[in-house]
Amino acid sequence: MKKRILVTGGTGFIGSETVIALIENGYEPVIVDNLCNSKEAVVGRIETITGVRPIFHPVDCCDKAAFRKVFEEEKDLYGVIHFAGLKAVGESVSKPIEYYSNNLVSTLNLLDLMREFDVRNIIFSSSATVYGVPERVPLKETDPVQSATNPYGETKVMIERILEDTHKAWKDLNVVLLRYFNPIGAHPSGLLGEDPNGIPNNLLPYVSQVAIGKLKFLSVYGDDYPTPDGTGIRDYIHVCDLAEGHVAAIRKLADNPGVVVYNLGTGKGTSVLEIVHAFEEANGVKIPYQIEARRAGDVAENYANCDKAFEELGWKARRNVLDACKDAYRFQKMNPNGIQ
Ligand code: NAD
Ligand code: UFG
């Protein structure tokens, strides 16, 4: 029998790509998403890509009664991948109550229902943000977790702690904390990708919208960082590699690992200007940009040491930023107004 995996936030950017990877690797995903930041059309696109229409429940994880019905209906769940959450750093500063409430209540409801229905495996979407301002790079899983500078990041720190504490009281619960670095790119079909509302906050969606002429130019936030070209350095990981990392994490659950944590990145840092040039090279387009002041809260350099994921999960990123830039542009051209 196929292992059944509940995927909260499964119509979102990373969740939808992971649902595809799950189907392609012989699992049966069950999606729960309230569509607050994604479209139901994603379900049909997953079907077009894989030939399988995943089960979809349009349910808010904060609505415990509705969420319980999903657990009652969907028997024999092997585990949960918990993507559901609000994720915009800037918005979280102006809407702290919404962020703490959505991200924490959804997780607490989920854990309580997992206990009630005896579902013993959870993989959680954490973030490099839990490392705060890094003292050194590359970041290792053993580096200290620090209080975040914004409510979004703080929910990740808090949820990691909640999951660890829950394991202490419920030893049968396995917890895999996956700390993502900067997910970019799109499905190579061009059918699925990052579809932000309004003006994008993140670099790649912004560059893609400049490339199709929807936005005039890119603002490069600072060229006076202590990096070789002065612009900020991040670890950009193709979303398809990230999705495969989740499949590797599910396989790990068979060992009953308790609480384990992995960085998912490429291990390589890329500057903002290197991204601009990679996008131009990959797609034969020009990306006009202007240097502007640093963005508040940004760090100079942030990239991962991913040896642990390779040694213990047998996973590493296979795609590079050129692949990601090609895929992101294809998605942007095919969906100039997002997924409809
Ligand atoms: P996304 O917004 O595309 O996906 C999140 C999904 O969760 C959306 O489809 C949204 O509708 C859904 N959702 C939100 N609250 C919900 C609720 N209460 N009940 C049900 N569904 C709900 O974001 P993403 O980029 O795919 O991120 C997925 C996860 O990975 C998030 O937890 C995010 O914080 C984390 N993460 C993302 C990044 C990144 O840069 N994209 C980096 C690190 C961590
Ligand atoms: N940048 C620009 N111009 C833009 C957008 C971004 O120059 O229009 C620069 C930023 O200054 C930074 C780099 O591009 O140097 C990447 O910025 P992103 O906003 O794409 O990504 P961040 O690294 O700031 O944020 C990501 C996730 C957050 C997470 C954070 C820390 O989006 O969810 O990493 O892990 F909290």
Side-chain angles (χ1 to χ4, degrees):
M1 207 177 81
K2 285 186 175 173
K3 284 191 174 131
R4 313 191 74 217
I5 313 289
L6 190 76
V7 185
T8 74
T11 46
F13 170 47
I14 307 169
S16 58
E17 212 58 66
T18 302
V19 165
I20 291 171
L22 288 171
I23 293 171
E24 286 173 346
N25 284 278
Y27 295 91
E28 187 184 346
V30 175
I31 300 174
V32 173
D33 200 302
N34 68 355
L35 303 175
C36 70
N37 199 36
S38 56
K39 303 272 169 46
E40 188 159 358
V42 166
V43 180
R45 293 191 177 200
I46 293 171
E47 183 179 12
T48 306
I49 291 166
T50 63
V52 175
R53 190 169 184 88
I55 301 167
F56 170 59
H57 295 273
V59 163
D60 188 336
C61 302
C62 295
D63 177 348
K64 196 159 179 189
F67 204 7
R68 176 177 284 106
K69 284 205 184 102
V70 175
F71 275 82
E72 282 166 357
E73 229 171 272
E74 302 296 349
K75 307 276 184 251
D76 301 319
L77 293 173
Y78 177 71
V80 180
I81 309 181
H82 184 36
F83 293 103
L86 300 176
K87 63 159 184 177
V89 174
E91 188 184 61
S92 80
V93 175
S94 54
K95 295 184 174 173
I97 300 170
E98 285 82 351
Y99 270 69
Y100 283 116
S101 171
N102 187 71
N103 293 4
L104 297 179
V105 173
S106 59
T107 306
L108 292 170
N109 283 348
L110 172 63
L111 281 173
D112 203 22
L113 289 166
M114 288 175 67
R115 180 174 57 175
E116 189 180 328
F117 289 84
D118 199 28
V119 179
R120 300 179 178 189
N121 294 311
I122 182 165
I123 295 172
F124 175 61
S125 300
S126 191
S127 164
T129 195
V130 303
Y131 295 115
V133 179
E135 275 164 30
R136 59 185 167 83
V137 282
L139 284 153
K140 292 183 80 163
E141 291 84 348
T142 44
D143 286 338
V145 167
Q146 301 190 48
S147 184
T149 53
N150 58 77
Y152 162 73
E154 203 58 35
T155 67
K156 295 296 179 197
V157 174
M158 287 177 176
I159 294 170
E160 286 203 0
R161 176 70 193 269
I162 289 168
L163 290 167
E164 283 161 8
D165 286 347
T166 306
H167 166 80
K168 280 183 200 148
W170 177 21
K171 288 277 186 286
D172 289 334
L173 179 72
N174 293 308
V175 176
V176 185
L177 303 174
L178 297 181
R179 295 180 181 154
Y180 312 154
F181 280 67
N182 288 57
I184 59 167
H187 191 270
S189 65
L191 290 173
L192 289 173
E194 203 168 0
D195 181 15
N197 291 323
I199 296 176
N201 296 308
N202 296 113
L203 181 62
L204 246 289
Y206 203 105
V207 168
S208 305
Q209 293 198 12
V210 171
I212 61 160
K214 212 172 163 184
L215 295 167
K216 283 209 157 47
F217 62 90
L218 171 73
S219 301
V220 173
Y221 297 137
D223 70 347
D224 56 352
Y225 284 106
T227 60
D229 67 17
T231 65
I233 287 179
R234 297 290 183 274
D235 187 339
Y236 295 96
I237 173 171
H238 195 296
V239 67
C240 292
D241 281 325
L242 195 56
E244 287 165 9
H246 291 75
V247 175
I250 289 177
R251 294 196 177 113
K252 177 73 183 172
L253 292 167
D255 305 344
N256 282 317
V259 180
V260 278
V261 45
Y262 299 102
N263 287 339
L264 296 187
T266 64
K268 187 177 175 305
T270 306
S271 76
V272 176
L273 289 181
E274 283 171 337
I275 287 286
V276 168
H277 297 137
F279 198 98
E280 291 180 335
E281 183 191 330
N283 298 311
V285 292
K286 199 83 203 129
I287 304 296
Y289 66 85
Q290 278 183 15
I291 306 293
E292 292 184 15
R294 292 181 180 190
R295 184 172 68 176
D298 276 353
V299 299
E301 200 173 12
N302 189 356
Y303 62 95
N305 176 315
C306 300
D307 293 351
K308 191 178 173 203
F310 184 60
E311 283 156 17
E312 297 186 14
L313 305 179
W315 171 91
K316 69 172 180 191
R318 297 185 290 127
R319 299 160 180 90
N320 61 29
V321 291
L322 284 172
D323 301 321
C325 289
K326 270 187 205 146
D327 292 335
Y329 187 47
R330 187 181 304 108
F331 173 75
Q332 188 67 61
K333 276 190 300 186
M334 285 172 62
N335 306 272
N337 299 310
I339 294 171
Q340 304 293 327

